[in-house]
Every structure is written in C-alpha cells, then in structure tokens.
Amino acid sequence: MSHTYQTFLPDIDQAPGRPPLLHAKSDGDAASWAAEHRNALRAAVAEHGSLLVRGLGLSEPAATEAVFRHLSSGRLMADREPFAPRRSYAEGVYSSSKWPNNQQMCMHHELSYALQFPGLLLFACLVAPETGGATAVADAPTVLQALPAELVERFEREGWLLTRTYNDEIGASVAEAFGTDDRAAVERYCRANGIEFAWEGDGSLHTRQHRSAVVRHPVTGRRCWFNQIAFLNEWTMDPEVREYLVDVYGSDGLPFNTRFGNGDPLDEDIVRAINEVYETHTLREPWHSGDLLLVDNIRTSHSREPFDGPREVLAALGDPVRLTDCAPTIEVRTA
C-alpha cells in the first residue's frame, strides 16, 4: 500500500538555508521505493519546488535510470540545444554538464531558451565530491519579486535574446547540440523552433533566439523568473576566460551571450545584480553519495558550485512542457 503525502510530510526536514530534505529507507531497492512513493514525492515537489531525498543508496546508472523513469512516468526528454556537452548513459539519462570544476555554474532554468523544456529535473549523485559541488536551488517567484522592478518590467516587455556560436573547439558542438551535423536537419530544427541561424565562412554556426524572461507556471499560474539571462552572459564568465574568448573569437563570436530582447547589450552591473539576488535566495546542501534531487524546473532555478575531487551526478529531463503552456509574454514565431 502506497504512503500518502501526509505520511511523508513530518519526515521532510525544512531547515533554513537548504532545500527540503527527506530521509528515505529503501531497503536496497531504490526503484521499487520510488515507484511506491511516486505520488507523495511529486506532491512534495509541487509544494516546495524541490526535494532532496537521502538514503536511497544510488550508486550505478541502471538503478538510477529506473528511479528516474518511475518518477517521471517514463517521459524523459532528449537533451537538445545544451550549452555544454554531456555524456549519455542511457536514453534520456545524462551526466551533468561538463563545466570546469573550479568555476561556478550560476543559477538557471534548464533549457529556458527552448520552446520545449523539462517541467521536472531529476539528479542523482553516484559519487559525491570531496568538497563543494552542491546543486543549489532558488525559488523563481521569490527571485522575481526581489529583482529591481524596472529591470523586470523591461525584460517582461521585451524578453531576452540568446546568441550562440557553435564550433568544434569550445562549448557544445553542432552535433552535440542538435543531435546531428547534417546542415539541412539543423536548419529544419532551427526553423521549427524559432531560432535565427547563419553559417559562417569558417563552418561555424551562429544563432539567435528571442524568448520570454517571465512565464506563468502551467499548474499554479504563478509568475516565475524563468531564463538564463545571467548565467549565459559574458559578464558571468571568469574574467580571464572572457578576455581570452573575446581575444580569440571576438565579442560577436562568443559561444553564448545574452542581451535585452531588443538587442541592447547588458552591462556588468545588471548581471551582477541578478546574480546577487539569486545568491540571497539560494538554498544549498552538500551532496552525499546516493542522494536524489527532484526540481520543479519552472518554479525553481538550480546551479552547480565549484568542487574538488571526483564528482559523478546523473541528470534526466522529465515532464516536457511547451512554452505556449506557460502564457509567455513574448510571441515566438516558427516556420
């Protein structure tokens, strides 16, 4: 007999400064435990925006995949348009994004620049790092309310612009981002997904996509700050990395950058202000090997903090949601 959500509620530790934490007892069969308690876990995520489950003992990809599929009803998305490459463990199950260990991966909402994105993120820590490396979270409606009103009003009116340059040297390649290096197939994808594109003389691909910065949650209707404006902006990069990339590729050839919806550049103060609001409202808890983290991707942003030592975290993108289901303020035209 499955436990109800009420049965789980007293066991959820809601200590200040960290995500809700549930201590589970799976008796060594994490997949069966996840299947039995799916509804309760999903209800907890709906209430809190995220849930860290400790005690499942997840240690290898096959069992982790089974847990992911039970909790997402088997609806795992393929990762398209990633900003950094991932290793694929199974269909819909990936490594965390490859990002330098010593650099912060700032708060963002997964695939918030796409027309279809996951409603649920699933993470499992198979090997915890020696220090650091937490996947921290922040509540999007709270962040929205804390941001400067004039800034929110402009982004809500104009949306935001993401520019990307794909090459084989840095970031995700064309094949890694689109699942193919066939130009015709890439162009069809771009037309169908509201992405402007141009092939450069050196064979690289340059794209622009205009998206909403604020959306309404498809279930609750709450307004959420939902984007990657700060994370994918040049001013969030390590200064030495930014200087190197601009020197090598030019300011218009960065692997990714963000602007106001009308194309105006963002100055460093704006990006810093957004990241400072995120930091004020960040909840963090160090990974323990075997942990599971569930995140409502629309309501809750996530980050990855610098770390030392080996770190193996698997990820899956569940519950696909269309941008049109979130009452966006910016119309996106597709071919």
Side-chain angles (χ1 to χ4, degrees):
M1 178 178 176
S2 297
H3 291 274
T4 64
Y5 174 54
Q6 287 74 20
T7 301
F8 270 70
L9 190 57
D11 298 327
I12 296 179
D13 182 355
Q14 299 183 63
R18 74 182 191 190
L21 174 63
L22 172 67
H23 292 276
K25 297 179 181 179
S26 67
D27 297 324
D29 188 350
S32 295
W33 184 92
E36 180 182 1
H37 301 304
R38 175 188 182 278
N39 291 341
L41 294 170
R42 296 294 300 258
V45 175
E47 178 172 350
H48 301 292
S50 65
L51 181 67
L52 180 62
V53 183
R54 180 157 291 163
L56 293 183
L58 296 171
S59 61
E60 52 92 18
T64 301
E65 178 190 2
V67 169
F68 285 172
R69 294 197 182 280
H70 283 309
L71 296 179
S72 64
S73 300
R75 296 182 297 163
L76 300 181
M77 298 174 56
D79 190 25
R80 290 289 177 263
E81 303 180 55
F83 56 82
R86 299 177 185 266
R87 173 186 172 188
S88 177
Y89 284 85
E91 185 177 356
V93 180
Y94 302 94
S95 69
S96 54
S97 297
K98 295 180 181 178
W99 199 257
N101 295 11
N102 63 346
Q103 293 182 24
Q104 174 86 2
M105 186 181 292
C106 297
M107 283 289 176
H108 62 284
H109 297 262
E110 200 71 25
L111 295 179
S112 53
Y113 46 79
L115 295 189
Q116 180 173 268
F117 41 79
L120 177 70
L121 300 179
L122 307 101
F123 299 99
C125 181
L126 306 192
V127 178
E130 294 173 8
T131 61
T135 298
V137 295
D139 184 70
T142 302
V143 168
L144 178 66
Q145 290 298 316
L147 287 167
E150 290 184 1
L151 184 67
V152 170
E153 192 278 331
R154 179 171 181 181
F155 274 120
E156 196 158 19
R157 183 178 70 249
E158 295 182 7
W160 63 294
L161 186 69
L162 171 65
T163 62
R164 300 185 67 171
T165 299
Y166 297 91
N167 56 49
D168 293 326
E169 298 173 349
I170 187 168
S173 66
V174 168
E176 288 166 335
F178 298 99
T180 177
D181 57 6
D182 179 77
R183 285 198 176 193
V186 171
E187 291 173 7
R188 285 195 298 271
Y189 180 95
C190 289
R191 293 190 186 97
N193 287 276
I195 301 173
E196 301 173 28
F197 64 90
W199 297 98
E200 305 299 333
D202 60 1
S204 63
L205 173 67
H206 186 74
T207 64
R208 289 162 50 100
Q209 47 213 101
H210 188 203
R211 297 295 185 256
S212 295
V214 179
V215 302
R216 291 191 180 274
H217 194 285
V219 176
T220 66
R222 296 181 70 188
R223 293 168 64 246
C224 298
W225 179 253
F226 179 76
N227 55 70
Q228 292 180 223
I229 291 168
F231 175 38
L232 296 182
N233 187 269
E234 61 181 306
W235 296 114
T236 297
M237 296 179 185
D238 181 280
E240 292 185 0
V241 173
R242 176 184 176 276
E243 183 178 349
Y244 169 79
L245 292 176
V246 170
D247 183 56
V248 173
Y249 298 104
S251 58
D252 292 330
L254 295 174
F256 38 75
N257 204 358
T258 62
R259 294 173 174 264
F260 284 108
N262 70 350
D264 287 349
L266 300 174
D267 63 43
E268 188 173 3
D269 289 343
I270 290 174
V271 176
R272 182 185 300 113
I274 295 172
N275 282 327
E276 286 176 352
V277 169
Y278 273 132
E279 178 57 32
T280 298
H281 298 284
T282 289
L283 306 177
R284 56 172 58 84
E285 168 69 10
W287 281 115
H288 289 190
S289 296
D291 282 355
L292 171 72
L293 175 65
L294 307 176
V295 177
D296 180 330
N297 184 46
I298 301 170
R299 175 180 164 182
T300 305
S301 61
H302 70 284
S303 66
R304 193 225 67 191
E305 302 187 341
F307 64 93
D308 294 312
R311 178 185 187 272
E312 187 175 13
V313 173
L314 271 57
L317 317 178
D319 298 3
V321 175
R322 299 285 299 180
L323 182 60
T324 50
D325 296 331
C326 299
T329 57
I330 303 300
E331 180 183 359
V332 178
R333 294 179 175 84
T334 58

